[in-house]
Amino acid sequence: MTISGSPRSGTATAAVTRLALRQVSRGALAVTAVAAGTTAIVVAGYQGTVGGALDAAALAALAENPAIRTLFGEPVALDTAGGFTVWRTGTVLAVLLSVWGLLTTTRVTRGEEESGRWDLLLAGRLTVPAVLGRHLVVLAAAVVLAGTTVGVVLTAAGTPSAGALRYAAGLTLVGLFAVSLALLAAQVMPTRAGASGATLAVLGVGLLARMVGDGIAALGWLRWLSPYGLLALTGAYHDDRLLPLLVLSAAALVPAVAAMALAGRRDLRAGLVTAPAGRPPRRWLLGTVEGFAARRLLRPLAGWSVGIGTYFLLIGLLTVSMTRFLSDNPRFAELAGQAGFAELGSVRGYTATMFALLAAPIGLFAAIRLAEFVAAETDGRLTSLYAQPVSRTRLLAAETLATLAGVAVLLTVAAVTTWLGAYPMDARLPLTAALAGTWNVLPIVLLCLGAGLLAVGWLPRATAAIGALPAVGGFLLQVIADSADLPDQVVAISPFAHLAAVPAESPNWPAALVMTAIAMVAAALGLLNHRRRDLLG
Amino acid sequence: MQPPAIRTSQLTKRYGPLFALDDLDLTVAAGEVFGFLGPNGAGKSTAIRLLLGLARPTAGRAWIFGIDAADVATAHRRIAYVPADVTLWPQLTGAEILELLGATGPGVDRAYRDELVARFELDLSKPARAYSTGNRQKVALVAAFATRAPLLVLDEPTSGLDPLMEREFRRAVAEVRDSGRTVFLSSHQLAEVEAVCDRVGILRAGRLVDVATMPELRRLRRTEVLVRFAGPAPDLTGVEGVDGVQVDGPALRFTLTGPPGPAMRALAAADVTTLTMREPTLEEIFLDYYGESGR
């Protein structure tokens, strides 16, 4: 018979395991579903179309093109369903799984610690390493679940099991590496945000090393230093190498062991590196609510600018190479056309397609800023400002204006970095054309902002989802519609259907005006009810 | 004639079927220090959120110095507020938060603010994430006391303060009163309310059950006395202010209301070894005075 509360450590650790499971399970299932679903769609799609459309010469051209190699990795074994799926989705899924793994790890460990919820947990018999250990096991199981499911999908689709096994193992190990590195960072860094940032930086450099290593043959060795590079070097469905997997295993194990060793040596709610106890005040932008909204924006905006700028610098650098490749190999242009990317054969057509993609991340940026505003309302950070002699409308308008300024910065950063990348390659892309192309997506971003403001007023807890809907949902609808032949009325719902391919074409002004008008009506309705509703929290 | 600092008329807030606040009619005169008492969940914070326009009333209205509380941009020029649960921007230091609240608020007396920072022993160089609950409260209190707002609304402001800081808090409230400003103080702590308030409103289950001046409230106060003695038990029958006498071997318990003189004289006859007096908590007074019903 088990007596509840009996002094056995088994029941205590089991309770911690259940706690970790509750916090991880929902995200783990979502990530697994996305990974398995994407894999299934691509592997099934290959059997339907791509397999028949590619011949040996086309594949050789693909494999030699540094632009293709940089973006997607070295194309190997594309003549098999498994090889094509790994090439097309491997890096994306590895990034998804590792970023989810790192964010979840810092959230359920240092995040819970910083909120003070672990104080109660650790007041009992359990030590910090014991609690961390249970969380590590649960997080590792979540990553293994996602990786294994992808392997099962590939095997079920009829691809060779040896390749599926190597790929699933590689994907899992990349996820484990991220979890284990994040756990180590969570012991060392002074805050949860610092731990997330440090791990994210390592993964970002790893991705860059993979891209450079794949694009430039002489620097191929760089891939041995990157988790994503090691996944590519495994060569699933091609040469099925084992050594990269062993290196990846060691890379995943060492930080976890170090984290467990260091866990007992630090204070709760602090890392081994302690934050400075104090600093002189920085008084800039604290004088008005508008200034304060701008000040809170600066740090996240810097991060978004670096991410978007790096990506579009790469797009600029690869523009000439990609367009030449696509105009030389019309089969790929056709395939891309089926997936919704038309006119890829010219510099302006290619960049126009890439600029249209920009609406998704920048729309997401706008939605996240408004969701963060609601989060500050909910947890009480905004209470002291709502109690000031400032109307609610002015506070929300200040946040909206700051977000708009951030959107303008991001659109400009994308244009300037694309131009900077294209310039040395003689791509004939003037800065004005690049600016026209990026600013062309502004109406979709405004739709996101309008939808987000509507949500802030009427359904504040759903602000992120509703705000992201026009850009992210519209983009997905557009992609699905092009592949699946949806009726025109359905396609027309997506704002992307009304976007002209600027700078290849001139802007679709009527559509831009209609979208802007819809956004303004939604924003006005949102502001109206935000003024009247009860504040959260 | 100056309008009252706070006036509410049939102020009501309902969350679904639950009346968080039911028909509150309250007037707080300018220059008064008003205590707002009540057990947890009585609706004190709801009432304050309605006064500040952070939540909208289901029915009724509230005015701050004659201005509709819903017109926050105007009404808040006269209010400084300390919430019950102070959350600060974690990356800002204390000095930066005071700067922000001072610049966006109803005007600030910087010299007095610096003096308060010293008196509350507040380290302003720390980022807010490093502050304890008490220190977060101190930041909010310093920001509120240093404003020139004629009305201070304080929602359980001392729950995280140590006794020394509690003393500073009472001094600061006294200084506010001396400058002719108004304080609306919601609290659990009877001793604090007794020390600083002129008048008290008692809220239970969303309803205002009593509004009393301090002398009236003192009549509610019953001190619990425990006496240990050697020899025969002292006789307290009929002694003024003594009630609920229980003899338990060599110990005697009773409650005392009003001045202790008569009870002390009655005890002088016995061989008392120890005498312990304990003030009952507010909760006990409520249960004693109003009974369990209506909670």
Side-chain angles (χ1 to χ4, degrees), chain A residues 279 282 392 531-532 534, chain B residues 13 53-54 56 91 96:
Chain A
R279 60 175 170 81
R282 303 175 197 137
R392 288 193 194 179
R531 207 159 54 99
R532 287 200 302 236
D534 291 354
Chain B
K13 183 66 181 176
L54 300 179
R56 301 298 189 216
Q91 67 277 29
E96 289 162 358

Side-chain angles (χ1 to χ4, degrees), chain A residues 269-506:
Chain A
R269 296 202 222 182
L272 289 172
V273 177
T274 48
R279 60 175 170 81
R282 303 175 197 137
R283 296 179 198 279
W284 44 275
L285 289 179
L286 287 176
T288 57
V289 291
E290 288 79 11
F292 186 51
R295 176 169 161 143
R296 282 182 290 117
L297 178 76
L298 287 178
R299 196 179 283 217
L301 182 62
W304 280 85
S305 297
V306 168
I308 285 180
T310 311
Y311 186 77
F312 277 87
L313 184 68
L314 203 66
I315 295 292
L317 283 167
L318 301 176
T319 298
V320 171
S321 170
M322 281 297 277
T323 50
R324 193 169 298 149
F325 170 76
L326 288 165
S327 52
D328 290 350
N329 296 274
R331 273 202 193 86
F332 285 108
E334 271 168 41
L335 281 175
Q338 278 174 20
F341 303 106
E343 291 260 3
L344 290 178
S346 72
V347 166
R348 283 169 179 253
Y350 174 72
T351 50
T353 309
M354 291 300 148
F355 290 152
L357 297 181
L358 194 58
I362 299 187
L364 197 62
F365 164 80
I368 288 175
R369 289 315 302 163
L370 290 179
E372 164 60 20
F373 182 76
V374 172
E377 175 190 326
T378 311
D379 69 21
R381 274 173 291 163
L382 273 178
T383 305
S384 54
L385 286 183
Y386 275 122
Q388 299 288 56
V390 170
S391 73
R392 288 193 194 179
T393 305
R394 187 173 155 204
L395 268 177
L396 185 53
E399 196 68 20
T400 308
L401 278 178
T403 306
L404 264 179
V407 166
V409 167
L410 290 177
L411 290 172
T412 308
V413 162
V416 170
T417 49
T418 310
W419 173 74
L420 279 176
Y423 189 73
M425 300 291 156
D426 272 335
R428 286 194 216 102
L429 181 73
L431 182 58
T432 48
L435 282 168
T438 57
W439 279 78
N440 183 47
V441 303
L442 181 64
I444 299 185
V445 180
L446 291 179
L447 277 179
C448 288
L449 205 54
L453 285 169
L454 189 67
V456 170
W458 295 88
L459 206 58
R461 290 180 201 281
T463 299
I466 294 176
L469 193 64
V472 178
F475 179 70
L476 286 178
L477 182 66
Q478 172 86 351
V479 170
I480 294 168
D482 283 328
S483 313
D485 253 345
L486 292 183
D488 287 350
Q489 297 94 308
V490 177
V491 182
I493 300 173
S494 167
F496 286 88
H498 309 287
L499 206 61
V502 182
E505 304 168 2
S506 46

Side-chain angles (χ1 to χ4, degrees), chain A residues 100-170:
Chain A
W100 175 80
L102 98 84
L103 292 178
T104 309
T105 303
T106 51
R107 175 173 64 83
V108 301
T109 59
R110 276 303 284 282
E112 289 294 293
E113 231 180 275
E114 279 172 20
S115 72
R117 286 191 280 271
W118 274 24
D119 290 9
L120 272 176
L121 203 61
L122 292 163
R125 283 184 305 277
L126 294 171
T127 59
V128 176
V131 172
L132 277 183
R134 304 316 295 177
H135 280 78
L136 180 60
V137 168
V138 169
L139 287 160
V143 170
V144 169
L145 173 73
T148 311
T149 312
V150 168
V152 169
V153 166
L154 283 170
T155 314
T159 68
S161 54
L165 182 66
R166 295 289 197 288
Y167 174 57

Side-chain angles (χ1 to χ4, degrees), chain B residues 10-11 23 64 76 104 139 168 188 213 255 261:
Chain B
Q10 297 175 321
L11 196 63
D23 238 8
I64 306 296
H76 288 185
T104 57
V139 172
E168 281 307 324
H188 272 138
T213 60
T255 61

